[in-house]
PDB file of all heavy atoms in Angstrom:
ATOM      1  N   THR A 267       5.144   7.128  -1.554  1.00 95.00           N
ATOM      2  CA  THR A 267       3.713   7.356  -1.681  1.00 95.00           C
ATOM      3  C   THR A 267       3.510   8.777  -2.192  1.00 95.00           C
ATOM      4  O   THR A 267       4.351   9.644  -1.969  1.00 95.00           O
ATOM      5  CB  THR A 267       2.996   7.102  -0.337  1.00 95.00           C
ATOM      6  OG1 THR A 267       1.575   7.231  -0.545  1.00 95.00           O
ATOM      7  CG2 THR A 267       3.408   8.062   0.750  1.00 95.00           C
ATOM      8  N   ILE A 313       2.347  -0.869   0.026  1.00 98.00           N
ATOM      9  CA  ILE A 313       2.532  -1.209   1.444  1.00 98.00           C
ATOM     10  C   ILE A 313       1.744  -2.465   1.821  1.00 98.00           C
ATOM     11  O   ILE A 313       2.191  -3.266   2.638  1.00 98.00           O
ATOM     12  CB  ILE A 313       2.159  -0.016   2.372  1.00 98.00           C
ATOM     13  CG1 ILE A 313       2.593  -0.282   3.814  1.00 98.00           C
ATOM     14  CG2 ILE A 313       0.675   0.276   2.346  1.00 98.00           C
ATOM     15  CD1 ILE A 313       4.067  -0.268   4.073  1.00 98.00           C
ATOM     16  N   THR A 314       0.579  -2.650   1.215  1.00 98.00           N
ATOM     17  CA  THR A 314      -0.216  -3.827   1.561  1.00 98.00           C
ATOM     18  C   THR A 314       0.578  -5.102   1.305  1.00 98.00           C
ATOM     19  O   THR A 314       0.539  -6.044   2.088  1.00 98.00           O
ATOM     20  CB  THR A 314      -1.544  -3.828   0.774  1.00 98.00           C
ATOM     21  OG1 THR A 314      -2.195  -2.584   1.022  1.00 98.00           O
ATOM     22  CG2 THR A 314      -2.449  -4.958   1.200  1.00 98.00           C
ATOM     23  N   THR A 388     -10.792  -6.203   2.798  1.00 98.00           N
ATOM     24  CA  THR A 388     -10.729  -5.155   1.775  1.00 98.00           C
ATOM     25  C   THR A 388      -9.875  -4.003   2.281  1.00 98.00           C
ATOM     26  O   THR A 388      -9.779  -3.761   3.475  1.00 98.00           O
ATOM     27  CB  THR A 388     -12.140  -4.679   1.315  1.00 98.00           C
ATOM     28  OG1 THR A 388     -12.153  -3.260   1.204  1.00 98.00           O
ATOM     29  CG2 THR A 388     -13.208  -5.094   2.238  1.00 98.00           C
ATOM     30  N   VAL A 389      -9.242  -3.315   1.348  1.00 97.00           N
ATOM     31  CA  VAL A 389      -8.304  -2.247   1.708  1.00 97.00           C
ATOM     32  C   VAL A 389      -8.083  -1.295   0.546  1.00 97.00           C
ATOM     33  O   VAL A 389      -8.228  -1.686  -0.598  1.00 97.00           O
ATOM     34  CB  VAL A 389      -6.926  -2.821   2.114  1.00 97.00           C
ATOM     35  CG1 VAL A 389      -6.280  -3.604   0.980  1.00 97.00           C
ATOM     36  CG2 VAL A 389      -5.975  -1.724   2.606  1.00 97.00           C
ATOM     37  N   GLY A 390      -7.722  -0.074   0.868  1.00 94.00           N
ATOM     38  CA  GLY A 390      -7.201   0.845  -0.136  1.00 94.00           C
ATOM     39  C   GLY A 390      -8.082   2.040  -0.406  1.00 94.00           C
ATOM     40  O   GLY A 390      -7.608   3.074  -0.847  1.00 94.00           O
ATOM     41  N   GLU A 391      -9.376   1.902  -0.166  1.00 93.00           N
ATOM     42  CA  GLU A 391     -10.307   3.000  -0.426  1.00 93.00           C
ATOM     43  C   GLU A 391     -11.614   2.614   0.254  1.00 93.00           C
ATOM     44  O   GLU A 391     -11.805   1.454   0.622  1.00 93.00           O
ATOM     45  CB  GLU A 391     -10.501   3.167  -1.933  1.00 93.00           C
ATOM     46  CG  GLU A 391     -11.018   1.879  -2.542  1.00 93.00           C
ATOM     47  CD  GLU A 391     -11.133   1.912  -4.052  1.00 93.00           C
ATOM     48  OE1 GLU A 391     -11.754   2.838  -4.552  1.00 93.00           O
ATOM     49  OE2 GLU A 391     -10.615   0.992  -4.688  1.00 93.00           O
ATOM     50  N   PRO A 392     -12.512   3.574   0.412  1.00 91.00           N
ATOM     51  CA  PRO A 392     -13.791   3.220   1.024  1.00 91.00           C
ATOM     52  C   PRO A 392     -14.517   2.186   0.155  1.00 91.00           C
ATOM     53  O   PRO A 392     -14.493   2.277  -1.064  1.00 91.00           O
ATOM     54  CB  PRO A 392     -14.556   4.549   1.028  1.00 91.00           C
ATOM     55  CG  PRO A 392     -13.505   5.613   0.938  1.00 91.00           C
ATOM     56  CD  PRO A 392     -12.406   5.016   0.118  1.00 91.00           C
ATOM     57  N   ASP A 414     -12.943  -4.726   6.812  1.00 98.00           N
ATOM     58  CA  ASP A 414     -12.708  -3.503   6.039  1.00 98.00           C
ATOM     59  C   ASP A 414     -11.588  -2.779   6.777  1.00 98.00           C
ATOM     60  O   ASP A 414     -11.797  -2.173   7.810  1.00 98.00           O
ATOM     61  CB  ASP A 414     -14.002  -2.685   6.017  1.00 98.00           C
ATOM     62  CG  ASP A 414     -13.853  -1.354   5.292  1.00 98.00           C
ATOM     63  OD1 ASP A 414     -12.734  -1.000   4.882  1.00 98.00           O
ATOM     64  OD2 ASP A 414     -14.885  -0.657   5.150  1.00 98.00           O
ATOM     65  N   THR A 415     -10.378  -2.905   6.243  1.00 98.00           N
ATOM     66  CA  THR A 415      -9.189  -2.471   6.987  1.00 98.00           C
ATOM     67  C   THR A 415      -8.741  -1.092   6.528  1.00 98.00           C
ATOM     68  O   THR A 415      -8.372  -0.915   5.369  1.00 98.00           O
ATOM     69  CB  THR A 415      -8.034  -3.463   6.770  1.00 98.00           C
ATOM     70  OG1 THR A 415      -7.679  -3.469   5.380  1.00 98.00           O
ATOM     71  CG2 THR A 415      -8.421  -4.878   7.184  1.00 98.00           C
ATOM     72  N   TRP A 416      -8.757  -0.148   7.431  1.00 98.00           N
ATOM     73  CA  TRP A 416      -8.249   1.191   7.091  1.00 98.00           C
ATOM     74  C   TRP A 416      -6.820   1.353   7.591  1.00 98.00           C
ATOM     75  O   TRP A 416      -6.523   1.087   8.763  1.00 98.00           O
ATOM     76  CB  TRP A 416      -9.115   2.303   7.704  1.00 98.00           C
ATOM     77  CG  TRP A 416      -8.443   3.630   7.467  1.00 98.00           C
ATOM     78  CD1 TRP A 416      -8.498   4.366   6.328  1.00 98.00           C
ATOM     79  CD2 TRP A 416      -7.559   4.319   8.357  1.00 98.00           C
ATOM     80  NE1 TRP A 416      -7.697   5.479   6.455  1.00 98.00           N
ATOM     81  CE2 TRP A 416      -7.106   5.474   7.689  1.00 98.00           C
ATOM     82  CE3 TRP A 416      -7.097   4.065   9.656  1.00 98.00           C
ATOM     83  CZ2 TRP A 416      -6.223   6.382   8.272  1.00 98.00           C
ATOM     84  CZ3 TRP A 416      -6.213   4.963  10.235  1.00 98.00           C
ATOM     85  CH2 TRP A 416      -5.790   6.120   9.544  1.00 98.00           C
ATOM     86  N   TRP A 417      -5.949   1.799   6.703  1.00 98.00           N
ATOM     87  CA  TRP A 417      -4.575   2.135   7.092  1.00 98.00           C
ATOM     88  C   TRP A 417      -3.895   2.823   5.928  1.00 98.00           C
ATOM     89  O   TRP A 417      -4.539   3.121   4.926  1.00 98.00           O
ATOM     90  CB  TRP A 417      -3.811   0.905   7.573  1.00 98.00           C
ATOM     91  CG  TRP A 417      -3.666  -0.245   6.607  1.00 98.00           C
ATOM     92  CD1 TRP A 417      -4.691  -0.984   6.060  1.00 98.00           C
ATOM     93  CD2 TRP A 417      -2.452  -0.790   6.091  1.00 98.00           C
ATOM     94  NE1 TRP A 417      -4.160  -1.953   5.246  1.00 98.00           N
ATOM     95  CE2 TRP A 417      -2.805  -1.872   5.246  1.00 98.00           C
ATOM     96  CE3 TRP A 417      -1.102  -0.486   6.274  1.00 98.00           C
ATOM     97  CZ2 TRP A 417      -1.836  -2.630   4.572  1.00 98.00           C
ATOM     98  CZ3 TRP A 417      -0.148  -1.247   5.616  1.00 98.00           C
ATOM     99  CH2 TRP A 417      -0.536  -2.305   4.776  1.00 98.00           C
ATOM    100  N   GLN A 418      -2.590   3.068   6.053  1.00 97.00           N
ATOM    101  CA  GLN A 418      -1.854   3.864   5.062  1.00 97.00           C
ATOM    102  C   GLN A 418      -0.405   3.397   4.939  1.00 97.00           C
ATOM    103  O   GLN A 418       0.108   2.763   5.867  1.00 97.00           O
ATOM    104  CB  GLN A 418      -1.802   5.329   5.523  1.00 97.00           C
ATOM    105  CG  GLN A 418      -3.123   5.891   5.939  1.00 97.00           C
ATOM    106  CD  GLN A 418      -2.994   7.336   6.406  1.00 97.00           C
ATOM    107  OE1 GLN A 418      -2.432   7.596   7.455  1.00 97.00           O
ATOM    108  NE2 GLN A 418      -3.530   8.263   5.627  1.00 97.00           N
ATOM    109  N   THR A 419       0.231   3.783   3.858  1.00 97.00           N
ATOM    110  CA  THR A 419       1.669   3.518   3.708  1.00 97.00           C
ATOM    111  C   THR A 419       2.404   4.010   4.965  1.00 97.00           C
ATOM    112  O   THR A 419       3.300   3.345   5.477  1.00 97.00           O
ATOM    113  CB  THR A 419       2.213   4.269   2.472  1.00 97.00           C
ATOM    114  OG1 THR A 419       1.451   3.866   1.338  1.00 97.00           O
ATOM    115  CG2 THR A 419       3.681   3.966   2.234  1.00 97.00           C
ATOM    116  N   GLU A 420       1.991   5.162   5.437  1.00 98.00           N
ATOM    117  CA  GLU A 420       2.657   5.800   6.576  1.00 98.00           C
ATOM    118  C   GLU A 420       2.442   5.037   7.881  1.00 98.00           C
ATOM    119  O   GLU A 420       3.248   5.137   8.798  1.00 98.00           O
ATOM    120  CB  GLU A 420       2.110   7.222   6.766  1.00 98.00           C
ATOM    121  CG  GLU A 420       2.399   8.183   5.626  1.00 98.00           C
ATOM    122  CD  GLU A 420       1.373   8.116   4.486  1.00 98.00           C
ATOM    123  OE1 GLU A 420       0.674   7.084   4.343  1.00 98.00           O
ATOM    124  OE2 GLU A 420       1.287   9.097   3.739  1.00 98.00           O
ATOM    125  N   THR A 502      -3.876  12.126   9.400  1.00 97.00           N
ATOM    126  CA  THR A 502      -3.897  11.089   8.362  1.00 97.00           C
ATOM    127  C   THR A 502      -4.164  11.625   6.959  1.00 97.00           C
ATOM    128  O   THR A 502      -3.874  10.933   5.980  1.00 97.00           O
ATOM    129  CB  THR A 502      -5.020  10.076   8.653  1.00 97.00           C
ATOM    130  OG1 THR A 502      -6.287  10.771   8.568  1.00 97.00           O
ATOM    131  CG2 THR A 502      -4.886   9.472  10.046  1.00 97.00           C
ATOM    132  N   ASP A 504      -7.210  11.939   6.013  1.00 96.00           N
ATOM    133  CA  ASP A 504      -8.543  11.391   5.734  1.00 96.00           C
ATOM    134  C   ASP A 504      -9.598  12.048   6.609  1.00 96.00           C
ATOM    135  O   ASP A 504      -9.313  12.493   7.722  1.00 96.00           O
ATOM    136  CB  ASP A 504      -8.576   9.880   6.034  1.00 96.00           C
ATOM    137  CG  ASP A 504      -7.930   9.058   4.934  1.00 96.00           C
ATOM    138  OD1 ASP A 504      -8.058   9.435   3.763  1.00 96.00           O
ATOM    139  OD2 ASP A 504      -7.296   8.040   5.258  1.00 96.00           O
ATOM    140  N   ILE A 516     -14.557   5.649   7.158  1.00 96.00           N
ATOM    141  CA  ILE A 516     -13.629   6.573   6.504  1.00 96.00           C
ATOM    142  C   ILE A 516     -14.372   7.171   5.310  1.00 96.00           C
ATOM    143  O   ILE A 516     -14.895   6.429   4.472  1.00 96.00           O
ATOM    144  CB  ILE A 516     -12.360   5.846   6.010  1.00 96.00           C
ATOM    145  CG1 ILE A 516     -11.779   4.940   7.108  1.00 96.00           C
ATOM    146  CG2 ILE A 516     -11.334   6.824   5.452  1.00 96.00           C
ATOM    147  CD1 ILE A 516     -11.435   5.619   8.399  1.00 96.00           C
ATOM    148  N   ARG A 519     -10.279  11.194   1.329  1.00 90.00           N
ATOM    149  CA  ARG A 519      -9.202  12.155   1.537  1.00 90.00           C
ATOM    150  C   ARG A 519      -9.763  13.569   1.701  1.00 90.00           C
ATOM    151  O   ARG A 519     -10.723  13.941   1.031  1.00 90.00           O
ATOM    152  CB  ARG A 519      -8.247  12.145   0.330  1.00 90.00           C
ATOM    153  CG  ARG A 519      -7.604  10.817   0.021  1.00 90.00           C
ATOM    154  CD  ARG A 519      -6.610  10.365   1.027  1.00 90.00           C
ATOM    155  NE  ARG A 519      -5.599  11.360   1.347  1.00 90.00           N
ATOM    156  CZ  ARG A 519      -4.553  11.107   2.151  1.00 90.00           C
ATOM    157  NH1 ARG A 519      -4.394   9.910   2.706  1.00 90.00           N
ATOM    158  NH2 ARG A 519      -3.687  12.052   2.411  1.00 90.00           N
ATOM    159  N   ILE A 525      -7.746   8.890  -4.841  1.00 94.00           N
ATOM    160  CA  ILE A 525      -7.502   7.449  -4.883  1.00 94.00           C
ATOM    161  C   ILE A 525      -8.253   6.844  -6.063  1.00 94.00           C
ATOM    162  O   ILE A 525      -9.467   6.853  -6.111  1.00 94.00           O
ATOM    163  CB  ILE A 525      -7.889   6.812  -3.541  1.00 94.00           C
ATOM    164  CG1 ILE A 525      -7.106   7.521  -2.421  1.00 94.00           C
ATOM    165  CG2 ILE A 525      -7.580   5.313  -3.556  1.00 94.00           C
ATOM    166  CD1 ILE A 525      -7.123   6.853  -1.104  1.00 94.00           C
ATOM    167  N   GLY A 528      -7.709   2.337  -5.962  1.00 91.00           N
ATOM    168  CA  GLY A 528      -6.889   2.005  -4.798  1.00 91.00           C
ATOM    169  C   GLY A 528      -5.484   2.600  -4.831  1.00 91.00           C
ATOM    170  O   GLY A 528      -4.734   2.425  -3.886  1.00 91.00           O
ATOM    171  N   ASN A 530      -2.986   5.804  -4.730  1.00 92.00           N
ATOM    172  CA  ASN A 530      -2.972   7.222  -4.352  1.00 92.00           C
ATOM    173  C   ASN A 530      -2.280   8.034  -5.433  1.00 92.00           C
ATOM    174  O   ASN A 530      -1.148   7.739  -5.789  1.00 92.00           O
ATOM    175  CB  ASN A 530      -2.160   7.417  -3.067  1.00 92.00           C
ATOM    176  CG  ASN A 530      -2.780   6.716  -1.903  1.00 92.00           C
ATOM    177  OD1 ASN A 530      -3.755   5.989  -2.068  1.00 92.00           O
ATOM    178  ND2 ASN A 530      -2.236   6.924  -0.724  1.00 92.00           N
TER     179      ASN A 530
HETATM  180  C1  WTA B   6      -7.455   5.052   1.832  1.00 84.34           C
HETATM  181  C2  WTA B   6      -3.104   1.545   1.665  1.00 84.34           C
HETATM  182  C3  WTA B   6     -11.405   3.742   3.305  1.00 84.34           C
HETATM  183  C4  WTA B   6      -7.341   6.223   2.792  1.00 84.34           C
HETATM  184  C5  WTA B   6      -3.052   0.574   2.832  1.00 84.34           C
HETATM  185  C6  WTA B   6      -5.880   6.204   3.172  1.00 84.34           C
HETATM  186  C7  WTA B   6      -9.153   3.551   2.885  1.00 84.34           C
HETATM  187  C8  WTA B   6      -5.227   5.777   1.878  1.00 84.34           C
HETATM  188  C9  WTA B   6      -9.155   2.242   3.417  1.00 84.34           C
HETATM  189  C10 WTA B   6      -3.904   5.126   2.091  1.00 84.34           C
HETATM  190  C11 WTA B   6     -10.395   1.707   3.888  1.00 84.34           C
HETATM  191  C12 WTA B   6      -7.126   2.764   2.803  1.00 84.34           C
HETATM  192  N1  WTA B   6     -11.478   2.505   3.812  1.00 84.34           N
HETATM  193  N2  WTA B   6     -10.272   4.283   2.836  1.00 84.34           N
HETATM  194  N3  WTA B   6     -10.502   0.477   4.371  1.00 84.34           N
HETATM  195  N4  WTA B   6      -7.884   1.788   3.345  1.00 84.34           N
HETATM  196  N5  WTA B   6      -7.891   3.827   2.505  1.00 84.34           N
HETATM  197  O1  WTA B   6      -0.994   4.633   1.462  1.00 84.34           O
HETATM  198  O2  WTA B   6      -7.682   7.405   2.122  1.00 84.34           O
HETATM  199  O3  WTA B   6      -1.867   3.243  -0.475  1.00 84.34           O
HETATM  200  O4  WTA B   6      -5.408   7.446   3.615  1.00 84.34           O
HETATM  201  O5  WTA B   6      -2.213   2.580   1.904  1.00 84.34           O
HETATM  202  O6  WTA B   6      -6.162   4.861   1.292  1.00 84.34           O
HETATM  203  O7  WTA B   6      -3.428   4.531   0.908  1.00 84.34           O
HETATM  204  P1  WTA B   6      -2.041   3.756   0.891  1.00 84.34           P
END
Side-chain angles (χ1 to χ4, degrees):
T267 185
I313 190 70
T314 305
T388 137
V389 61
E391 58 185 308
D414 177 355
T415 63
W416 173 82
W417 59 298
Q418 311 179 290
T419 304
E420 295 85 338
T502 64
D504 282 325
I516 312 303
R519 301 291 309 185
I525 304 193
N530 296 6

